């Protein structure tokens, strides 16, 4: 036994010595290779071929692995080319990183070995090299469109925006809470819910039993659960998928989308909520612009050339605040003809929202104090006479319309109980009333649609093009 152990140790030492004498090539991401100042020895890069060009004495490849908008140029001897080395194929390239003689790039990879890991059938592949496709065309191929420059840039921006939003809340002392996706409550009271049901082995819905003993739905908002948690942690937020069974094919709606929601206890001012919304937008956007300048620039150059200037204006200027009543008067005085005539007591439509932003100089606008009857039961009653309003706020953004919605929450037990009884909801929300009985405090919060936020940053017109796998009526690809 002792002899066997000694032999094993000797073999390990020998193996280590061999590794030192013949070190393996260091694996670099494309972005790391492009940013490298000097790399000694061989490196290995894995990715997909974006272009291939063979000349008499030299072979050129451009490969990318999704880590950068810019591809890495590979130069090789033509003898390394084979029939599977085509656009779209997955490859592994080993060689030396050297200074490039071309002005457009700092380095290039001088290949010593090229291995095709996965060939690509270029005749059937829906994308061609050096082509720029409309977002509507790429949307038909959700399993492949992430390899296009536009979608890979979008996904990098989306990733950085997610991290920036989490950092904002963490830096400001918020606790991140995972709110449930399956819920028995309808926060908005809109009734546009996806009903969660079970299937038996024959794949038929079970009619006579409820898995949770109560009707269950996919969540439309994590707000009510956040209110529970804010009652113990003061400041909380969540960031997750939400669902609306709204039969809309518009450019602004999805059946599944992501929401950032926050709740703040011990605040009696709507201004406090407004300030957090503005700070979140400006801080996260500044971070994204600094982390993904090339990716954002791609959209500003080819999708929405005017968006860069609009975004600079949004970040530079203080957001405006007007009341709902002021907004209606502005709309009534407008020389424009609206499809929906503005009237006090009616909700603002998309055409109204866009006009209000334009009227205020293309700067984001907070509209506050909406009619009592327009808003859900949990909003604070302003008790302001004939024009009965609640302490609610919507943030309207140039080119998008409504981005955020929030309010002070009604913490007065008698007010809340009276409203729930009037709506016939008091039995379903006894637990919500309990929150007011046991150590409640003035509080408020808001929600921000993540996809609409990305539309705003990038200038993308259709919300279906800022999410990896869009879900909307009559479409659930993959």
């Amino acid at each position: 036994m002792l002899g066997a152990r000694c032999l094993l140790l000797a073999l390990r030492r020998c193996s280590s010595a061999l590794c030192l004498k013949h070190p393996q090539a260091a694996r670099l991401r494309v972005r790391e290779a492009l940013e490298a100042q000097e790399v000694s020895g061989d490196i290995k890069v894995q990715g997909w071929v974006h272009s291939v060009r063979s000349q008499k004495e030299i072979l050129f490849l451009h490969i990318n692995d999704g880590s950068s908008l810019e591809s890495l140029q590979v130069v090789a001897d033509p003898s390394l080319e084979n029939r599977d080395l085509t656009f779209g194929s997955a490859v592994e390239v080993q060689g030396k990183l050297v200074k490039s003689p071309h002005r457009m790039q700092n380095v290039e990879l001088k290949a010593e070995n090229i291995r095709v890991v996965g060939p690509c059938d270029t005749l059937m592949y829906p994308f061609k090299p050096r082509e720029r496709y409309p977002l509507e065309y790429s949307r038909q191929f959700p399993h492949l469109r992430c390899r296009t420059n536009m979608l890979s840039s979008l996904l990098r921006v989306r990733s950085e925006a997610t991290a920036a939003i989490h950092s904002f809340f963490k830096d400001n002392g918020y606790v991140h809470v995972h709110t449930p996706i399956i819920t028995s409550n309808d926060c908005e009271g809109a009734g546009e819910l996806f009903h969660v049901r079970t299937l038996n082995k024959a794949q038929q819905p079970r009619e006579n039993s409820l898995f949770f003993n109560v009707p269950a739905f996919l969540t439309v908002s994590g707000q009510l659960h956040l209110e529970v948690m804010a009652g113990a942690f003061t400041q909380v937020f969540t960031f997750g998928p939400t669902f609306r069974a709204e039969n809309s094919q518009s450019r602004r709606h999805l059946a599944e989308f992501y929401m950032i929601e926050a709740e703040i206890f011990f605040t009696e001012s709507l201004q406090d909520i407004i300030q957090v919304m503005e700070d979140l937008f400006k801080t996260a956007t500044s971070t994204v612009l600094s982390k993904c300048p090339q990716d954002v620039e791609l959209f500003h150059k080819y999708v929405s050339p005017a968006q860069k200037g609009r975004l600079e204006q949004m970040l530079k200027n203080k957001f405006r605040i007007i009341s709902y009543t002021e907004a209606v008067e502005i709309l009534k005085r407008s020389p424009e003809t609206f499809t929906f005539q503005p009237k006090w007591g009616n909700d603002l439509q998309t055409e109204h929202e866009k006009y209000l932003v334009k009227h205020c100089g293309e700067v984001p606008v907070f509209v506050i104090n909406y009619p009592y009857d327009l808003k859900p039961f949990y909003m604070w009653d302003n008790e302001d006479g004939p024009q009965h309003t609640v302490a609610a706020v919507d943030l309207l953004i140039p080119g998008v319309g409504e981005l955020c919605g929030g309010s002070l929450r009604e913490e007065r037990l008698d007010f809340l109980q009276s409203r729930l009884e009037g709506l016939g909801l008091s039995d379903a929300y006894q637990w919500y009333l309990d929150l007011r009985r046991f150590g409640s405090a003035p509080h408020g919060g808001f929600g921000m649609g993540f996809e609409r936020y990305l539309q705003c940053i990038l200038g993308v017109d259709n919300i279906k093009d800022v999410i990896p796998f869009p879900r909307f009526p009559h479409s659930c690809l993959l």
Side-chain angles (χ1 to χ4, degrees):
M1 178 68 76
L2 186 59
R5 287 181 180 174
C6 291
L7 179 61
L8 182 60
L9 286 170
L11 287 171
R12 285 179 177 171
R13 291 193 191 100
C14 181
S15 176
S16 298
L18 286 171
C19 288
L20 289 171
K21 288 180 181 178
H22 303 283
Q24 289 187 341
R27 180 179 176 268
L28 295 185
R29 302 296 304 275
V30 165
R31 182 172 184 171
E32 293 169 337
L34 291 170
E35 293 174 349
Q37 296 298 316
E38 184 177 348
V39 177
S40 59
D42 281 5
I43 70 162
K44 178 169 61 179
V45 176
Q46 298 161 327
W48 290 267
V49 176
H50 276 218
S51 69
V52 55
R53 179 165 52 94
S54 183
Q55 296 181 355
K56 185 176 180 180
E57 297 181 352
I58 195 166
L59 171 67
F60 289 101
L61 296 179
H62 280 89
I63 65 172
N64 205 314
D65 60 1
S67 61
S68 166
L69 175 61
E70 187 180 351
S71 296
L72 175 64
Q73 178 166 286
V74 176
V75 293
D77 188 281
S79 64
L80 294 178
E81 186 177 14
N82 64 70
R83 63 184 181 86
D84 289 330
L85 188 60
T86 62
F87 170 70
S89 59
V91 297
E92 180 179 277
V93 182
Q94 185 169 326
K96 288 183 171 56
L97 202 61
V98 298
K99 186 172 178 59
S100 175
H102 303 285
R103 289 185 304 169
M104 300 299 291
Q105 59 210 12
N106 293 324
V107 295
E108 60 189 21
L109 182 57
K110 190 174 182 180
E112 297 170 358
N113 182 52
I114 300 175
R115 181 169 72 92
V116 177
V117 179
C120 176
D121 184 345
T122 54
L123 292 177
M124 300 294 292
Y125 194 52
F127 302 107
K128 304 302 177 189
R130 302 187 183 280
E131 292 279 340
R132 183 168 286 111
Y133 293 91
L135 293 171
E136 293 81 1
Y137 173 82
S138 301
R139 201 187 305 148
Q140 302 173 75
F141 311 99
H143 56 307
L144 296 172
R145 68 174 184 162
C146 55
R147 300 222 203 134
T148 66
N149 280 345
M150 204 63 77
L151 262 294
S152 64
S153 285
L154 176 276
L155 293 173
R156 283 188 293 272
V157 170
R158 189 179 172 104
S159 178
E160 288 293 350
T162 300
I165 288 165
H166 275 271
S167 292
F168 171 85
F169 284 115
K170 183 179 179 181
D171 292 345
N172 285 280
Y174 286 71
V175 174
H176 182 213
V177 176
H178 294 111
T179 53
I181 291 176
I182 299 175
T183 177
S184 57
N185 295 305
D186 175 11
C187 171
E188 297 296 323
E192 296 163 340
L193 303 168
F194 286 102
H195 193 179
V196 177
R197 304 172 70 181
T198 59
L199 294 175
N200 62 21
K201 290 182 179 178
Q203 299 296 295
Q204 295 297 319
R206 292 179 178 174
E207 300 291 347
N208 301 321
S209 65
L210 293 170
F211 187 86
F212 297 104
N213 293 333
V214 293
F217 311 95
L218 296 181
T219 184
V220 298
S221 169
Q223 178 207 312
L224 300 185
H225 298 94
L226 280 184
E227 284 193 62
V228 173
M229 295 299 174
F233 296 99
T234 309
Q235 296 184 143
V236 295
F237 82 101
T238 191
F239 190 157
T242 50
F243 306 84
R244 303 281 168 89
E246 186 175 3
N247 189 16
S248 172
Q249 292 283 358
S250 82
R251 295 171 177 265
R252 301 172 69 245
H253 295 94
L254 290 167
E256 177 184 356
F257 55 98
Y258 278 71
M259 282 271 284
I260 302 103
E261 298 178 272
E263 287 292 320
I264 307 160
F265 254 54
F266 300 103
T267 180
E268 300 182 53
S269 169
L270 194 59
Q271 181 60 44
D272 292 344
I273 308 301
I274 287 172
Q275 193 61 55
V276 176
M277 292 161 76
E278 183 169 346
D279 290 346
L280 170 62
F281 179 90
K282 289 183 174 179
T283 303
T285 303
S286 297
T287 301
V288 171
L289 293 179
S290 67
K291 295 280 188 180
C292 305
Q294 289 181 308
D295 293 313
V296 174
E297 182 62 29
L298 182 71
F299 279 87
H300 289 175
K301 184 175 181 180
Y302 294 107
V303 175
S304 181
Q307 194 63 19
K308 183 177 181 180
R310 291 195 199 103
L311 207 53
E312 289 172 352
Q313 286 293 105
M314 290 185 229
L315 295 175
K316 182 172 64 175
N317 292 299
K318 183 74 177 172
F319 293 2
R320 292 280 304 275
I321 302 176
I322 62 174
S323 71
Y324 167 87
T325 302
E326 288 178 273
V328 171
E329 290 304 312
I330 290 169
L331 294 168
K332 283 182 176 179
R333 294 195 301 267
S334 167
E336 293 197 17
T337 301
F338 297 112
T339 303
F340 298 91
Q341 289 305 306
K343 179 182 177 183
W344 203 99
N346 291 346
D347 213 348
L348 299 178
Q349 303 297 318
T350 302
E351 59 179 344
H352 301 147
E353 295 169 350
K354 290 184 176 181
Y355 179 82
L356 289 169
V357 171
K358 180 181 175 183
H359 176 83
C360 293
E362 294 294 334
V363 173
V365 182
F366 291 106
V367 180
I368 63 172
N369 298 334
Y370 279 78
Y372 178 90
D373 292 331
L374 278 182
K375 294 297 183 178
F377 64 86
Y378 49 76
M379 295 191 175
W380 172 273
D381 187 344
N382 283 328
E383 297 183 273
D384 51 357
Q387 288 190 329
H388 195 180
T389 67
V390 291
V393 56
D394 286 343
L395 174 58
L396 311 182
I397 293 287
V400 173
E402 183 187 341
L403 175 67
C404 299
S407 74
L408 293 179
R409 314 311 190 193
E410 183 60 81
E411 95 278 353
R412 296 167 293 185
L413 179 60
D414 54 340
F415 278 72
L416 186 58
Q417 194 161 21
S418 174
R419 187 155 200 201
L420 285 170
E421 286 174 358
L423 295 169
L425 296 172
S426 54
D427 289 342
Y429 288 92
Q430 279 301 311
W431 67 269
Y432 195 66
L433 293 172
D434 279 350
L435 296 178
R436 274 62 180 169
R437 293 188 178 99
F438 309 128
S440 186
H443 62 286
F446 69 93
M448 180 173 84
F450 186 48
E451 280 71 31
R452 288 190 184 180
Y453 170 70
L454 293 172
Q455 281 185 278
C456 174
I457 291 179
L458 301 174
V460 176
D461 186 49
N462 197 315
I463 198 169
K464 301 176 184 68
D465 296 319
V466 292
I467 191 169
F469 303 101
R471 302 289 186 247
F472 51 96
H474 315 299
S475 178
C476 188
L477 298 177
L478 272 69

